[in-house]
Amino acid sequence: MWSNRRRQRAEEARQAEQAAARAADAFLTLDTEQTSVAADFDLLLGVLAPADVPAARRSYDAAAGQCQQAIAAYLALNAPDAPPPATAALERSRADLDAARAALARFAQWCRTRMAHAAAAITAAEEQAGDARAALADATAAIEATRAAGRDTGGAQQQLARAREAYHQISEAAVGRAGVAVRAAVTEARKQAEQARRLADEARTLPERTPKALGSLRTRIDGLRYRIGQLDERMSDLRREFVAACWTDLTGGAKAAHTELDAAVAAVQDAERRAAAGEWEAAWDGVTRARAHLERVTDTVDAPGERLAALRAVRDDPRAESERTRRVIRDAQRFVLGLAGGPPGDSARQLDSRSALLQTMVNKLDVPHPDYWTYLTQLARIRTEVGDLVDRIRQSG
């Protein structure tokens, strides 16, 4: 009997010793791995974008907190002044330590994944930085060549200064930690440098390009002057065939076109004087101004003919525009009705109101002299509003 008791106590002592060894091994393993993961996390903080740091800290604090809680419980269980721990208590402690270690391992894997992504971003940023450096070198060489040719490089030099400032920001930012900012700075530096090179190249070739551009502008001025003379004929057609609401906004077009044309002529004459004096950049500024004036002249002289063609087309077949608009509305209605949660918000009501407005506009054509222009513009507005509504729903989903 006493022999059995001794054997039982010996077995219990052996089990307790094994449990203590397992718990101690779990404690030492967790303590070592926690130190290693803490070091990895410090490295990760050095390459994370600032916006990602708070979430990373929360994840780390959760895993580290579980580890500290399990370690504190183990140390309390094995304190020098504590009674020998029971086997069950040691097993619970080991289980808690293993669970904390598993949580730490998951966080460590997340760290490794993010580090790999950061390394790829760093590599890409370094490659882009190399492209930016090459663009800066090309721009500098182009400016030097332009200056050597006796051309003004003021604009190109200003652009190059902006490129260098953008590139300087790259060296001030920690690649990876401010990865988005670094890539943006690299992109901006390359863009500015390429613009500086383009300006330098343009400045070098201005003596050859400016006379050609001026000749082209003079030809264009003559052509537009002839077309302005035809505006009255187009406006007469509009007045004769359609109600005033279809063309009132175009009145005064000839006067406005003449004003813009005169401004273009003045800009060309100024450019010619500047070119004769060898002031090539100033001459090219005159070319640019003249082109802008002529674009506005072109828009003005095109408008009556384009309006007349659009009005005649809708007069010949008004149903084409209404059916086109009706299809847009029906497609949008099918889209919102097919959504899993049904039509969001008041989208169905908005589409119904657009459908009602379409029918109202169609009904307004049933008069002796309909306002086709309002009909066209209102239907175009309906299609735009319906398209915008669908886009908002897609983006919110």
Side-chain angles (χ1 to χ4, degrees):
M1 178 180 185
W2 289 104
S3 175
N4 288 339
R5 288 178 180 175
R6 283 197 298 272
R7 282 198 297 271
Q8 183 178 0
R9 285 197 294 271
E11 179 61 21
E12 290 173 351
R14 187 182 66 80
Q15 290 178 356
E17 182 179 349
Q18 291 176 344
R22 287 193 294 270
D25 181 64
F27 164 73
L28 292 173
T29 301
L30 178 60
D31 185 60
T32 300
E33 292 183 359
Q34 185 182 17
T35 301
S36 176
V37 171
D40 290 344
F41 182 60
D42 285 340
L43 290 174
L44 180 63
L45 288 179
V47 297
L48 278 179
D52 296 333
V53 170
R57 284 195 180 279
R58 287 193 295 271
S59 297
Y60 173 73
D61 289 344
Q66 185 175 350
C67 293
Q68 291 301 323
Q69 186 176 358
I71 288 173
Y74 171 81
L75 293 176
L77 192 65
N78 290 275
D81 55 349
T87 301
L90 289 167
E91 291 293 353
R92 284 195 300 273
S93 178
R94 180 186 62 80
D96 290 343
L97 291 165
D98 287 343
R101 182 185 174 195
L104 191 66
R106 288 191 295 273
F107 178 77
Q109 180 58 45
W110 179 84
C111 277
R112 286 191 291 271
T113 301
R114 293 306 298 267
M115 284 292 288
H117 291 165
I122 290 170
T123 300
E126 288 174 345
E127 292 175 354
Q128 292 172 346
D131 293 341
R133 285 193 298 272
L136 283 169
D138 289 345
T140 302
I143 289 173
E144 289 301 323
T146 302
R147 185 185 294 115
R151 306 287 182 257
D152 183 6
T153 60
Q157 286 178 308
Q158 291 176 2
Q159 200 77 35
L160 182 60
R162 286 191 285 270
R164 285 173 173 160
E165 175 61 26
Y167 188 80
H168 180 64
Q169 295 175 12
I170 301 170
S171 60
E172 293 180 346
V175 175
R177 181 178 178 82
V180 174
V182 169
R183 288 191 291 275
V186 168
T187 300
E188 181 65 15
R190 187 174 64 249
K191 183 180 74 173
Q192 296 286 358
E194 290 171 352
Q195 174 71 354
R197 182 183 60 186
R198 185 183 65 79
L199 289 174
D201 290 341
E202 288 180 352
R204 191 167 59 253
T205 59
L206 283 180
E208 294 78 29
R209 292 189 298 120
T210 303
K212 295 178 182 178
L214 288 171
S216 176
L217 286 171
R218 286 189 290 269
T219 301
R220 190 176 175 189
I221 286 171
D222 291 339
L224 286 172
R225 184 175 286 114
Y226 172 77
R227 293 186 62 197
I228 291 174
Q230 296 181 313
L231 277 177
D232 287 342
E233 181 181 348
R234 298 281 79 76
M235 290 300 300
S236 178
D237 291 339
L238 284 168
R239 293 187 185 98
R240 185 177 61 255
E241 298 181 33
F242 300 98
V243 297
C246 293
W247 48 261
T248 300
D249 60 310
L250 299 179
T251 56
K255 181 179 179 181
H258 276 300
T259 299
E260 290 289 347
L261 192 68
D262 290 343
V265 170
V268 168
Q269 291 172 345
D270 179 62
E272 289 172 338
R273 288 192 296 270
R274 300 284 190 172
E279 300 173 2
W280 296 110
E281 284 202 349
W284 194 256
D285 287 341
V287 169
T288 302
R289 291 197 309 274
R291 284 173 173 170
H293 288 300
L294 293 181
E295 282 301 315
R296 289 190 283 272
V297 176
T298 300
D299 291 342
T300 301
V301 298
D302 283 347
E306 292 173 353
R307 178 76 57 88
L308 187 62
L311 291 172
R312 285 172 172 171
V314 72
R315 181 183 59 191
D316 292 343
D317 185 11
R319 284 178 54 84
E321 284 295 310
S322 63
E323 287 304 312
R324 175 187 175 193
T325 306
R326 206 180 306 279
R327 284 194 298 272
V328 170
I329 295 173
R330 286 173 177 168
D331 287 346
Q333 289 172 329
R334 282 194 291 268
F335 168 70
V336 299
L337 291 173
L339 294 173
D346 65 343
S347 58
R349 182 193 62 78
Q350 292 185 54
L351 291 174
D352 288 343
S353 70
R354 299 283 78 75
S355 181
L357 178 58
L358 168 60
Q359 190 57 49
T360 298
M361 298 310 302
V362 170
N363 293 340
K364 285 186 177 182
L365 295 182
D366 192 19
V367 295
H369 301 288
D371 180 357
Y372 288 113
W373 185 240
T374 298
Y375 175 76
L376 280 174
T377 55
Q378 285 295 315
L379 265 58
R381 184 170 68 86
I382 290 171
R383 292 192 296 271
T384 298
E385 291 175 348
V386 171
D388 290 345
L389 174 63
V390 171
D391 287 343
R392 287 195 300 272
I393 294 173
R394 291 185 189 279
Q395 291 169 6
S396 64

mmCIF file of all heavy atoms in Angstrom, residues 7-31:
data_model
loop_
_atom_site.group_PDB
_atom_site.id
_atom_site.type_symbol
_atom_site.label_atom_id
_atom_site.label_comp_id
_atom_site.label_asym_id
_atom_site.label_seq_id
_atom_site.Cartn_x
_atom_site.Cartn_y
_atom_site.Cartn_z
ATOM 1 N N ARG A 7 4.823 5.165 -5.504
ATOM 2 C CA ARG A 7 4.858 5.150 -6.963
ATOM 3 C C ARG A 7 3.945 6.237 -7.546
ATOM 4 O O ARG A 7 4.284 6.904 -8.526
ATOM 5 C CB ARG A 7 4.430 3.768 -7.481
ATOM 6 C CG ARG A 7 5.526 2.719 -7.374
ATOM 7 C CD ARG A 7 5.234 1.522 -8.264
ATOM 8 N NE ARG A 7 3.999 0.847 -7.848
ATOM 9 C CZ ARG A 7 3.963 -0.132 -6.936
ATOM 10 N NH1 ARG A 7 5.085 -0.526 -6.337
ATOM 11 N NH2 ARG A 7 2.809 -0.701 -6.630
ATOM 12 N N GLN A 8 2.766 6.455 -6.950
ATOM 13 C CA GLN A 8 1.840 7.474 -7.429
ATOM 14 C C GLN A 8 2.450 8.865 -7.284
ATOM 15 O O GLN A 8 2.358 9.691 -8.192
ATOM 16 C CB GLN A 8 0.523 7.389 -6.651
ATOM 17 C CG GLN A 8 -0.517 8.383 -7.145
ATOM 18 C CD GLN A 8 -1.825 8.249 -6.391
ATOM 19 O OE1 GLN A 8 -1.972 7.405 -5.496
ATOM 20 N NE2 GLN A 8 -2.790 9.093 -6.755
ATOM 21 N N ARG A 9 3.095 9.110 -6.079
ATOM 22 C CA ARG A 9 3.700 10.422 -5.874
ATOM 23 C C ARG A 9 4.869 10.628 -6.846
ATOM 24 O O ARG A 9 5.084 11.725 -7.367
ATOM 25 C CB ARG A 9 4.190 10.543 -4.427
ATOM 26 C CG ARG A 9 3.043 10.756 -3.440
ATOM 27 C CD ARG A 9 3.590 11.278 -2.124
ATOM 28 N NE ARG A 9 4.432 10.265 -1.476
ATOM 29 C CZ ARG A 9 3.985 9.337 -0.627
ATOM 30 N NH1 ARG A 9 2.690 9.286 -0.332
ATOM 31 N NH2 ARG A 9 4.809 8.468 -0.093
ATOM 32 N N ALA A 10 5.616 9.556 -7.095
ATOM 33 C CA ALA A 10 6.732 9.668 -8.029
ATOM 34 C C ALA A 10 6.238 9.983 -9.437
ATOM 35 O O ALA A 10 6.825 10.793 -10.175
ATOM 36 C CB ALA A 10 7.555 8.369 -8.030
ATOM 37 N N GLU A 11 5.127 9.333 -9.829
ATOM 38 C CA GLU A 11 4.555 9.590 -11.159
ATOM 39 C C GLU A 11 4.040 11.022 -11.266
ATOM 40 O O GLU A 11 4.232 11.705 -12.288
ATOM 41 C CB GLU A 11 3.419 8.605 -11.436
ATOM 42 C CG GLU A 11 2.724 8.801 -12.788
ATOM 43 C CD GLU A 11 3.663 8.632 -13.968
ATOM 44 O OE1 GLU A 11 4.725 7.986 -13.819
ATOM 45 O OE2 GLU A 11 3.341 9.158 -15.066
ATOM 46 N N GLU A 12 3.380 11.505 -10.205
ATOM 47 C CA GLU A 12 2.871 12.880 -10.211
ATOM 48 C C GLU A 12 4.030 13.877 -10.304
ATOM 49 O O GLU A 12 3.950 14.892 -11.015
ATOM 50 C CB GLU A 12 2.045 13.141 -8.962
ATOM 51 C CG GLU A 12 0.710 12.388 -8.959
ATOM 52 C CD GLU A 12 -0.017 12.535 -7.635
ATOM 53 O OE1 GLU A 12 0.602 13.071 -6.674
ATOM 54 O OE2 GLU A 12 -1.190 12.121 -7.554
ATOM 55 N N ALA A 13 5.114 13.566 -9.568
ATOM 56 C CA ALA A 13 6.278 14.454 -9.604
ATOM 57 C C ALA A 13 6.895 14.464 -11.002
ATOM 58 O O ALA A 13 7.324 15.511 -11.514
ATOM 59 C CB ALA A 13 7.311 14.014 -8.576
ATOM 60 N N ARG A 14 6.941 13.274 -11.612
ATOM 61 C CA ARG A 14 7.500 13.192 -12.965
ATOM 62 C C ARG A 14 6.644 13.983 -13.961
ATOM 63 O O ARG A 14 7.157 14.724 -14.804
ATOM 64 C CB ARG A 14 7.576 11.723 -13.400
ATOM 65 C CG ARG A 14 8.305 11.517 -14.739
ATOM 66 C CD ARG A 14 8.295 10.045 -15.113
ATOM 67 N NE ARG A 14 6.952 9.581 -15.376
ATOM 68 C CZ ARG A 14 6.290 9.783 -16.535
ATOM 69 N NH1 ARG A 14 6.878 10.436 -17.507
ATOM 70 N NH2 ARG A 14 5.068 9.329 -16.687
ATOM 71 N N GLN A 15 5.316 13.875 -13.868
ATOM 72 C CA GLN A 15 4.414 14.603 -14.754
ATOM 73 C C GLN A 15 4.540 16.113 -14.545
ATOM 74 O O GLN A 15 4.530 16.895 -15.512
ATOM 75 C CB GLN A 15 2.968 14.151 -14.515
ATOM 76 C CG GLN A 15 2.689 12.729 -14.990
ATOM 77 C CD GLN A 15 1.265 12.297 -14.702
ATOM 78 O OE1 GLN A 15 0.504 13.036 -14.076
ATOM 79 N NE2 GLN A 15 0.909 11.096 -15.151
ATOM 80 N N ALA A 16 4.670 16.495 -13.258
ATOM 81 C CA ALA A 16 4.821 17.921 -12.962
ATOM 82 C C ALA A 16 6.137 18.446 -13.532
ATOM 83 O O ALA A 16 6.206 19.557 -14.078
ATOM 84 C CB ALA A 16 4.766 18.158 -11.455
ATOM 85 N N GLU A 17 7.183 17.614 -13.413
ATOM 86 C CA GLU A 17 8.485 18.034 -13.942
ATOM 87 C C GLU A 17 8.427 18.173 -15.461
ATOM 88 O O GLU A 17 8.965 19.131 -16.031
ATOM 89 C CB GLU A 17 9.534 16.996 -13.543
ATOM 90 C CG GLU A 17 10.943 17.363 -13.997
ATOM 91 C CD GLU A 17 11.965 16.330 -13.555
ATOM 92 O OE1 GLU A 17 11.626 15.463 -12.742
ATOM 93 O OE2 GLU A 17 13.099 16.406 -14.040
ATOM 94 N N GLN A 18 7.751 17.233 -16.132
ATOM 95 C CA GLN A 18 7.613 17.317 -17.585
ATOM 96 C C GLN A 18 6.780 18.528 -17.992
ATOM 97 O O GLN A 18 7.094 19.228 -18.963
ATOM 98 C CB GLN A 18 6.979 16.036 -18.125
ATOM 99 C CG GLN A 18 7.893 14.815 -18.024
ATOM 100 C CD GLN A 18 7.198 13.541 -18.488
ATOM 101 O OE1 GLN A 18 5.972 13.503 -18.601
ATOM 102 N NE2 GLN A 18 7.975 12.486 -18.743
ATOM 103 N N ALA A 19 5.698 18.791 -17.253
ATOM 104 C CA ALA A 19 4.851 19.955 -17.554
ATOM 105 C C ALA A 19 5.640 21.241 -17.364
ATOM 106 O O ALA A 19 5.527 22.178 -18.154
ATOM 107 C CB ALA A 19 3.601 19.951 -16.674
ATOM 108 N N ALA A 20 6.458 21.262 -16.300
ATOM 109 C CA ALA A 20 7.269 22.452 -16.047
ATOM 110 C C ALA A 20 8.285 22.646 -17.165
ATOM 111 O O ALA A 20 8.544 23.780 -17.600
ATOM 112 C CB ALA A 20 7.965 22.326 -14.700
ATOM 113 N N ALA A 21 8.866 21.543 -17.657
ATOM 114 C CA ALA A 21 9.845 21.639 -18.742
ATOM 115 C C ALA A 21 9.189 22.136 -20.022
ATOM 116 O O ALA A 21 9.736 22.980 -20.750
ATOM 117 C CB ALA A 21 10.502 20.276 -18.963
ATOM 118 N N ARG A 22 7.973 21.616 -20.311
ATOM 119 C CA ARG A 22 7.278 22.063 -21.508
ATOM 120 C C ARG A 22 6.908 23.545 -21.412
ATOM 121 O O ARG A 22 7.033 24.297 -22.375
ATOM 122 C CB ARG A 22 6.028 21.214 -21.737
ATOM 123 C CG ARG A 22 6.325 19.806 -22.223
ATOM 124 C CD ARG A 22 5.064 19.124 -22.722
ATOM 125 N NE ARG A 22 4.116 18.889 -21.637
ATOM 126 C CZ ARG A 22 4.081 17.783 -20.886
ATOM 127 N NH1 ARG A 22 4.964 16.802 -21.108
ATOM 128 N NH2 ARG A 22 3.183 17.639 -19.936
ATOM 129 N N ALA A 23 6.466 23.947 -20.237
ATOM 130 C CA ALA A 23 6.095 25.359 -20.056
ATOM 131 C C ALA A 23 7.327 26.255 -20.170
ATOM 132 O O ALA A 23 7.276 27.333 -20.782
ATOM 133 C CB ALA A 23 5.411 25.546 -18.716
ATOM 134 N N ALA A 24 8.439 25.791 -19.592
ATOM 135 C CA ALA A 24 9.660 26.592 -19.659
ATOM 136 C C ALA A 24 10.150 26.716 -21.099
ATOM 137 O O ALA A 24 10.592 27.790 -21.535
ATOM 138 C CB ALA A 24 10.743 25.958 -18.786
ATOM 139 N N ASP A 25 10.041 25.609 -21.846
ATOM 140 C CA ASP A 25 10.463 25.651 -23.245
ATOM 141 C C ASP A 25 9.575 26.613 -24.046
ATOM 142 O O ASP A 25 10.063 27.391 -24.878
ATOM 143 C CB ASP A 25 10.386 24.240 -23.833
ATOM 144 C CG ASP A 25 10.842 24.213 -25.284
ATOM 145 O OD1 ASP A 25 12.026 24.496 -25.540
ATOM 146 O OD2 ASP A 25 9.991 23.936 -26.163
ATOM 147 N N ALA A 26 8.252 26.568 -23.801
ATOM 148 C CA ALA A 26 7.335 27.479 -24.487
ATOM 149 C C ALA A 26 7.641 28.930 -24.124
ATOM 150 O O ALA A 26 7.591 29.824 -24.971
ATOM 151 C CB ALA A 26 5.884 27.141 -24.126
ATOM 152 N N PHE A 27 7.978 29.164 -22.840
ATOM 153 C CA PHE A 27 8.302 30.521 -22.396
ATOM 154 C C PHE A 27 9.558 31.042 -23.101
ATOM 155 O O PHE A 27 9.577 32.163 -23.623
ATOM 156 C CB PHE A 27 8.503 30.520 -20.883
ATOM 157 C CG PHE A 27 9.210 31.741 -20.375
ATOM 158 C CD1 PHE A 27 8.578 32.974 -20.323
ATOM 159 C CD2 PHE A 27 10.538 31.650 -19.965
ATOM 160 C CE1 PHE A 27 9.248 34.094 -19.875
ATOM 161 C CE2 PHE A 27 11.210 32.782 -19.511
ATOM 162 C CZ PHE A 27 10.565 34.008 -19.462
ATOM 163 N N LEU A 28 10.619 30.209 -23.102
ATOM 164 C CA LEU A 28 11.873 30.656 -23.705
ATOM 165 C C LEU A 28 11.713 30.887 -25.219
ATOM 166 O O LEU A 28 12.252 31.847 -25.778
ATOM 167 C CB LEU A 28 12.969 29.619 -23.440
ATOM 168 C CG LEU A 28 13.406 29.498 -21.967
ATOM 169 C CD1 LEU A 28 14.360 28.328 -21.791
ATOM 170 C CD2 LEU A 28 14.059 30.800 -21.509
ATOM 171 N N THR A 29 10.970 29.990 -25.887
ATOM 172 C CA THR A 29 10.756 30.142 -27.326
ATOM 173 C C THR A 29 9.992 31.427 -27.629
ATOM 174 O O THR A 29 10.355 32.199 -28.532
ATOM 175 C CB THR A 29 9.988 28.936 -27.881
ATOM 176 O OG1 THR A 29 10.734 27.747 -27.619
ATOM 177 C CG2 THR A 29 9.755 29.077 -29.381
ATOM 178 N N LEU A 30 8.930 31.673 -26.866
ATOM 179 C CA LEU A 30 8.134 32.878 -27.081
ATOM 180 C C LEU A 30 8.956 34.133 -26.808
ATOM 181 O O LEU A 30 8.898 35.104 -27.586
ATOM 182 C CB LEU A 30 6.893 32.863 -26.181
ATOM 183 C CG LEU A 30 5.992 34.102 -26.285
ATOM 184 C CD1 LEU A 30 5.475 34.263 -27.707
ATOM 185 C CD2 LEU A 30 4.840 34.011 -25.292
ATOM 186 N N ASP A 31 9.745 34.110 -25.753
ATOM 187 C CA ASP A 31 10.554 35.291 -25.403
ATOM 188 C C ASP A 31 11.555 35.606 -26.526
ATOM 189 O O ASP A 31 11.739 36.766 -26.907
ATOM 190 C CB ASP A 31 11.287 35.032 -24.086
ATOM 191 C CG ASP A 31 12.030 36.268 -23.611
ATOM 192 O OD1 ASP A 31 11.386 37.308 -23.383
ATOM 193 O OD2 ASP A 31 13.267 36.194 -23.480
#
